Amino acid sequence: MRLEIGLGLGVLGLFVASLTIGPANVPAIDSLQALFDNSFGPLTLVMQEIRLPRGLLAITAGAGLGFAGAAMQGYLRNPLAEPGLIGVASSAALGAVLAIHSGLAANVFLGLPLSALAGALVGVCLVMALAGPRGGSLTLILAGIAISALAGALTSLALNLSPNPFAANEIVFWMMGSLADRSMTHVWLALPFVVAGAVVIAMTARGLDALTLGEDAAETMGFDLSRLRLLIVVGTASIVGGVTAVAGAIGFVGLVVPHILRPFVGAQPSRLMWSSALGGAIMLQLADIAVRVILPTRDLKLGVVTALVGAPLFLHLIYKTRRELP
C-alpha cells in the first residue's frame, strides 16, 4: 500500500508541475489560479486549452499503457512482453497514416483519431481470427507479430507514395508520438477507451495470479484460459487503440514500468497492474516535461524521449534475462 500511495503522490505532484512548466516565465501560483479564472486572457486560455488537456492526456495514456503492459506480461509470463505485441498499435498507426495520406485528417473533424481507432479495431479482429478461439499464448504472439509486420509494411508503402513532402513530414512526425496541440476533445475521445479497457483487464486479476502457477494449475482452479485471453486482448486493444489515436506511437512505457516495479510487489500480477498504471503515468509525465525543457524550440517528440529512456533499459533486461538462463 505504501508503494501505491507514494506513486499516487508522485502522479499528483508531476501533474501540478506539468501545469506550471512552460516556455513563459510565469509564477506557478498565477498559472494555477488561471485554471479557475473565467476571463479569456492569454494565460487562462493557455492553462485551460493547452496545458490542462496535455497533462490529463499524459496521465491517461501513461496509466493505460502501464496497466496493459503489466497485464500482457502477466498473461504471457514474460517480462519482455508489452502492449504493442498483439499488433494493435501498428494497426492504429496505419489507420492514422491512411487518414493523413488520403486527406481525411485535414477535411474531417477528428478524422485522424477516428481512423486510428478503426485501424485498431480491424487489427484486433485480425489477430483474434488468426489466433483462433483455442489458440494459446504462442499463437497469439505469432498472430500479433504477423499483423504488426503487415501494418508496418503498409505504413511504409503509404509513406513511400505520399502525394507531397508535407504529407510525408506529417506522417513521420505523427508516428513519433506527441501530446502537443491536444484539446479536451482528445481527452474525452481517449478516456472512455482507456477506462473501458482497464475495467475489462481488471476482471482478469485473479486469473492472472493463478496463471503464475502454470496453465494447468489455473485450469484446475476453474479459470477459463480462452476467456482470460479474450479479455486481455480486448482490454489491451481498447487501451492501446485509444492512446495511439490521440497521441501517436509511444513505446516502451508498458515494457519498462512493470519491469521496474515488479520487485516491489512480489511479482503479483493483480497488484502490479495498478502500480504500473501509476508508474506509467509518472513516466509519461516526466517524458512530457522533458520535451518542454529540453530543446523547447525544436519540437522534440514524446515518443523519441520514451524510446531513448526505454531502449537502454530494454537492452539491460535482455542481458539480465540471458545471464539468468542455465
Side-chain angles (χ1 to χ4, degrees):
M1 183 60 68
R2 291 181 180 179
L3 175 64
E4 286 79 2
I5 292 175
L7 291 173
L9 292 175
V11 172
L12 182 61
L14 285 172
F15 179 62
V16 174
S18 176
L19 293 175
T20 57
I21 294 176
N25 189 18
V26 179
I29 188 64
D30 293 342
S31 298
L32 294 177
Q33 287 177 348
L35 280 175
F36 308 97
D37 193 350
N38 292 326
S39 67
F40 295 95
L43 182 59
T44 301
L45 292 177
V46 168
M47 293 300 299
Q48 296 180 358
E49 301 296 331
I50 298 177
R51 291 191 186 176
L52 180 60
R54 188 168 183 166
L56 292 175
L57 273 179
I59 293 176
T60 302
L65 293 176
F67 194 87
M72 285 296 296
Q73 291 181 12
Y75 172 69
L76 297 175
R77 288 161 291 163
N78 188 339
L80 302 180
E82 56 100 19
L85 189 64
I86 59 174
V88 176
S90 300
S91 301
L94 175 60
V97 167
L98 292 177
I100 297 172
H101 184 274
S102 63
L104 182 67
N107 297 319
V108 178
F109 179 64
L110 295 180
L112 191 149
L114 292 177
S115 296
L117 289 172
L121 177 62
V122 172
V124 72
C125 290
L126 290 175
V127 167
M128 294 305 297
L130 287 174
R134 298 183 178 273
S137 57
L138 178 59
T139 307
L140 179 65
I141 293 173
L142 293 176
I145 293 174
I147 296 303
S148 293
L150 178 60
L154 293 176
T155 299
S156 299
L157 178 63
L159 184 61
N160 182 219
L161 300 178
S162 296
N164 56 68
F166 301 104
N169 286 338
E170 187 176 356
I171 290 172
V172 171
F173 286 144
W174 185 87
M175 292 180 64
M176 291 181 183
S178 177
L179 297 177
D181 302 323
R182 302 305 192 266
S183 66
M184 289 302 297
T185 302
H186 293 90
V187 175
W188 294 120
L189 180 63
L191 188 61
F193 289 95
V194 174
V195 172
V199 170
V200 171
I201 292 176
M203 297 167 60
T204 68
R206 293 181 57 203
L208 292 178
D209 287 344
L211 200 57
T212 59
L213 302 175
E215 292 186 357
D216 293 338
E219 288 183 329
T220 301
M221 296 171 66
F223 293 100
D224 185 348
L225 296 186
S226 297
R227 178 178 180 273
L228 186 68
R229 185 192 64 169
L230 178 62
L231 292 176
I232 291 290
V233 171
V234 171
T236 300
S238 179
I239 291 173
V240 174
V243 171
T244 306
V246 299
I250 299 176
F252 290 100
V253 176
L255 171 65
V256 172
V257 173
H259 172 62
I260 294 175
L261 296 176
R262 184 172 287 105
F264 300 100
V265 298
Q268 185 179 0
S270 59
R271 186 181 174 193
L272 180 61
M273 289 192 298
W274 298 107
S275 298
S276 296
L278 296 172
I282 288 176
M283 179 177 176
L284 210 57
Q285 286 186 103
L286 284 172
D288 191 46
I289 291 173
V291 165
R292 284 178 266 178
V293 174
I294 303 171
L295 301 176
T297 60
R298 298 298 300 272
D299 192 22
L300 185 62
K301 296 299 182 181
L302 184 62
V304 175
V305 175
T306 58
L308 288 174
V309 174
L313 290 173
F314 182 57
L315 293 174
H316 169 70
L317 176 59
I318 295 176
Y319 177 72
K320 181 180 178 181
T321 304
R322 188 185 68 180
R323 291 190 60 183
E324 292 176 352
L325 292 175

